[in-house]
């Protein structure tokens, strides 16, 4: 290529492909390099989307098995065709990843298949599966290569007995007994999928409760609900050793100061977080600065220490979430062209798509206390909401934390039906620096779950109407 490109994006996950589209919109001549056959990265191929597809399918199964009868709907002969369930999931992936191909064509973005290595500050070498290389020159290079599952010593992934989240989204049969190391987002979502399909699921969590980092009240209620649903939770427990035989895996577990015990299962899913995926990029060779955990260091324009090279998404650390990567990709590209977008990390929502859903934005009550920030709290339970009652989904609450003087909303934590959608209102309110009173005075349609957000905002001032 004679003319250097304006932008070479490495990685076509939600961070990379959205950055490429925004760059093309802004008139930049853009190429996106991706090593996998389909676009969309972890999120679309082996993460968010397939897990949500399986969560939805298995939710319907559980409804048919346990809840339909109370609605006066008789279901008989309910069974699972796991192949059909997986095929449906795969069709959704194919549809959505194909959609990105379409968007690339529409925006005149060139997609190059292969593994990228940075060979100079303005040069990327791409090797395809056959080892044939091509060289691209770009005025700017954006690294958006995401992350891969973290492993723990002594529990190497073999794809059969010791599996990662990718394997756990494509099992061909239902394991009778499944252990999950890590009571975080993946552990709970995939634990829920396989429990609903019939596995006996034990979640082994190192800290004192599931979902560390989330608001304490949310964690306590989530733990109670998941136990009632049949997940076996083992908090404050470490898996220290593993012995694999042909048919089973025996884990040695250590809980606090107590004696060790063992747990024999068919498969163990290790879900203890993710690590940045930078292996093939040649970052050391160029001297790109990284932190001790291997995340690429960037400034608030997402620039690395090497002029012309930027990075966004999981590779730079922070919440490892598709929507965070997307926002960073957009802002990085806009800043390249002199525009002034900004990402507020503390206003990035996080959602766990279990039933009920769990959604959160802003600091936890514990961290406000810890940092000496004053606040007022408003809570409203779904049991007092007419829509939730008519849906038989009354577990959970909305909790809003607000500044006691300005009334500005500091955080919102929700566990309950459609929490993942309800949180959007709180995010918008926080991005707009609104007060709890603003939410409280906003008309919410009735009967809707969104009324719980308004009621929690009223509760900040001690004047919830339906409680
Ligand atoms: P995570 O960080 O959410 O949870 C890992 C859990 O493992 C933590 O609770 C931690 O205390 C525990 N842990 C760590 N080492 C352990 C050990 N040796 N023994 C027992 N427990 C141990 O990570 P997870 O679930 O693997 O997810 C990875 C990333 O993917 C997260 O950043 C998450 O946000 C993202 N993700 C997001 C989803 C969503 O937005 N709905 C869905 C799935 C993943």
């Amino acid at each position: 290529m004679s003319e250097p490109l304006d932008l070479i994006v490495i990685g076509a996950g939600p961070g990379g492909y959205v950055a490429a589209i925004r760059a093309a919109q802004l008139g930049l001549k853009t190429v996106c390099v991706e090593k996998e056959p389909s676009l969309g990265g972890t999120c679309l191929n082996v993460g968010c989307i397939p897990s949500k597809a399986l969560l939805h399918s298995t939710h319907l199964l559980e409804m048919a098995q346990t809840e339909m009868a109370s609605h006066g709907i008789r279901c008989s002969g309910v069974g699972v065709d796991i192949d059909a369930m997986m095929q449906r999931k795969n069709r959704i992936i194919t549809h959505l990843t194909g959609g990105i191909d379409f968007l690339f064509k529409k925006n005149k973005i060139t997609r190059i298949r292969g593994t990228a290595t940075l060979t100079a500050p303005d040069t990327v070498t791409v090797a395809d599966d056959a080892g044939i290389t091509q060289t691209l020159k770009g005025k700017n290079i954006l690294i958006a290569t995401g992350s891969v599952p973290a492993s723990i010593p002594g529990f190497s992934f073999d794809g059969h007995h010791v599996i990662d989240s990718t394997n756990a989204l494509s099992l061909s049969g239902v394991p009778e007994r499944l252990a999950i190391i890590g009571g975080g987002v993946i552990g709970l979502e995939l634990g829920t999928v396989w429990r609903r399909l019939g596995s006996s699921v034990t979640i082994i969590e190192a800290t004192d409760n599931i979902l560390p980092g989330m608001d304490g009240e949310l964690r306590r209620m989530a733990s109670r609900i998941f136990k009632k649903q049949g997940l076996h939770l083992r908090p404050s427990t470490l898996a220290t050793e593993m012995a694999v035989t042909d048919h089973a895996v025996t884990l040695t577990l250590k809980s606090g100061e107590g004696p060790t015990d063992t747990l024999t299962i068919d498969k163990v899913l290790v879900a203890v977080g993710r690590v940045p995926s930078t292996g093939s990029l040649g970052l050391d060779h160029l001297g790109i600065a990284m932190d001790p955990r291997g995340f690429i260091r960037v400034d608030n324009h997402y620039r690395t220490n090497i002029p012309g090279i930027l990075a966004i998404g999981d590779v730079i650390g922070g919440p490892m979430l598709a929507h965070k990567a997307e926002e960073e990709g957009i802002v990085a590209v806009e800043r390249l062209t002199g525009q002034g977008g900004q990402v507020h990390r503390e206003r990035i929502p996080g959602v766990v798509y279990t039933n009920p859903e769990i959604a959160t934005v802003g600091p936890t009550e514990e961290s406000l206390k810890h940092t000496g920030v004053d606040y007022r709290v408003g809570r409203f339970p779904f049991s007092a909401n007419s829509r939730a009652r008519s849906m038989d989904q009354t577990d959970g609450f909305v909790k809003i934390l607000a500044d006691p003087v300005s009334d500005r909303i500091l955080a919102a934590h929700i566990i309950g039906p459609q929490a993942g959608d309800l949180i959007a209102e709180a995010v918008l309110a926080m991005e707009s620096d609104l007060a709890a009173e603003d939410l409280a005075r906003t008309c919410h349609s009735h009967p809707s779950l969104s009324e719980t957000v308004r009621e929690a905002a009223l509760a900040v001032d001690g004047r919830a109407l339906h409680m």
Side-chain angles (χ1 to χ4, degrees):
M1 256 180 234
S2 45
E3 275 284 294
L5 296 151
D6 291 317
L7 181 66
I8 303 169
V9 178
I10 306 176
Y17 90 72
V18 168
I21 292 173
R22 186 71 188 116
Q25 285 176 343
L26 290 166
L28 301 185
K29 195 174 167 204
T30 304
V31 154
C32 184
V33 184
E34 169 58 55
K35 66 180 167 46
E36 297 297 333
S38 73
L39 302 173
T42 299
C43 171
L44 272 83
N45 292 284
V46 289
C48 320
I49 300 304
S51 59
K52 263 78 269 176
L54 293 180
L55 277 161
H56 188 68
S57 296
T58 57
H59 173 64
L60 295 179
L61 171 68
E62 193 157 66
M63 289 282 290
Q65 287 169 332
T66 63
E67 287 189 35
M68 290 294 198
S70 72
H71 292 260
I73 301 169
R74 282 191 288 276
C75 297
S76 57
V78 175
V80 174
D81 177 344
I82 195 107
D83 281 349
M85 194 179 282
M86 292 295 171
Q87 278 167 27
R88 171 187 171 276
K89 175 206 71 175
N90 294 340
R91 279 196 302 276
I92 294 167
I93 296 172
T94 306
H95 181 86
L96 291 174
T97 55
I100 305 175
D101 278 311
F102 164 79
L103 292 172
F104 272 16
K105 283 192 192 101
K106 183 179 160 214
N107 287 284
K108 302 193 174 37
I109 298 162
T110 307
R111 183 260 158 107
I112 296 183
R113 167 112 195 254
T115 301
T117 305
L118 293 152
T119 42
D122 65 346
T123 310
V124 173
T125 304
V126 184
D128 69 14
D129 286 347
I132 298 167
T133 60
Q134 61 176 302
T135 300
L136 307 171
K137 290 267 181 200
K139 291 178 200 156
N140 296 284
I141 298 167
L142 177 71
I143 302 171
T145 44
S147 60
V148 291
S151 58
I152 41 179
F155 295 82
S156 313
F157 296 116
D158 64 9
H160 180 55
H161 287 110
V162 185
I163 60 174
D164 62 14
S165 53
T166 303
N167 309 132
L169 288 164
S170 296
L171 298 181
S172 53
V174 180
E176 207 174 302
R177 301 156 302 178
L178 174 68
I180 302 180
I181 303 182
V185 191
I186 292 181
L188 290 166
E189 290 188 352
L190 292 182
T192 294
V193 165
W194 291 105
R195 175 193 61 72
R196 288 170 176 165
L197 288 169
S199 297
S200 168
V201 176
T202 305
I203 296 187
I204 299 153
E205 166 56 44
T207 68
D208 65 348
N209 199 354
I210 53 169
L211 297 171
M214 283 204 180
D215 191 81
E217 269 183 271
L218 232 57
R219 297 174 71 197
R220 286 190 290 279
M221 177 168 269
S223 156
R224 271 201 306 278
I225 293 172
F226 294 141
K227 277 189 206 157
K228 215 163 99 192
Q229 291 175 349
L231 283 179
H232 307 292
L233 303 183
R234 295 279 313 254
S236 304
T237 302
L238 285 173
T240 53
E241 279 172 48
M242 175 185 80
V244 178
T245 60
D246 278 353
H247 302 294
V249 185
T250 299
L251 302 178
T252 304
L253 303 181
K254 177 102 181 92
S255 302
E257 295 305 306
T260 57
D261 62 337
T262 57
L263 177 71
T264 299
I265 67 278
D266 303 297
K267 288 188 192 297
V268 54
L269 161 61
V270 178
V272 295
R274 298 176 64 87
V275 290
S277 168
T278 52
S280 55
L281 289 172
L283 302 184
D284 288 344
H285 169 73
L286 282 191
I288 292 183
M290 289 184 274
D291 76 10
R293 294 164 63 208
F295 291 106
I296 298 174
R297 286 188 202 274
V298 291
D299 64 12
N300 59 5
H301 292 260
Y302 302 100
R303 295 177 299 209
T304 68
N305 59 320
I306 305 294
I309 301 183
L310 303 109
I312 52 124
D314 288 5
V315 277
I316 65 165
M320 291 181 150
L321 298 168
H323 45 279
K324 175 253 191 195
E326 271 185 47
E327 295 309 315
E328 289 177 346
I330 291 167
V331 169
V333 167
E334 288 183 346
R335 288 195 171 201
L336 264 186
T337 57
Q339 301 195 6
Q342 207 172 352
V343 180
H344 301 115
R345 270 209 185 163
E346 68 288 359
R347 293 173 187 172
I348 294 169
V351 180
V352 190
Y353 291 89
T354 43
N355 184 28
E357 292 181 353
I358 304 168
T360 171
V361 59
T364 63
E365 187 171 354
E366 291 76 16
S367 75
L368 291 182
K369 269 195 192 129
H370 184 71
T371 48
V373 176
D374 287 339
Y375 61 89
R376 290 202 297 175
V377 57
R379 289 185 193 80
F380 191 79
F382 282 91
S383 57
N385 173 267
S386 53
R387 184 76 197 283
R389 184 82 31 210
S390 67
M391 295 161 69
D392 271 347
Q393 295 205 20
T394 51
D395 279 343
F397 59 86
V398 177
K399 170 174 173 179
I400 291 180
L401 301 164
D403 184 281
V405 178
S406 68
D407 197 33
R408 199 168 49 88
I409 298 170
L410 303 172
H413 305 291
I414 309 177
I415 176 166
Q418 293 170 29
D421 292 308
L422 296 178
I423 200 74
E425 183 178 359
V427 178
L428 178 64
M430 287 168 64
E431 279 288 8
S432 313
D433 282 330
L434 296 186
E437 180 74 14
D438 294 314
L439 285 191
R441 293 211 174 266
T442 300
C443 185
H444 289 69
S445 48
H446 174 78
S448 73
L449 297 170
S450 70
E451 288 173 289
T452 56
V453 177
R454 179 191 184 213
E455 290 273 11
L458 282 163
V460 168
D461 194 37
R463 53 192 173 96
L465 295 162
H466 292 88
M467 193 173 60

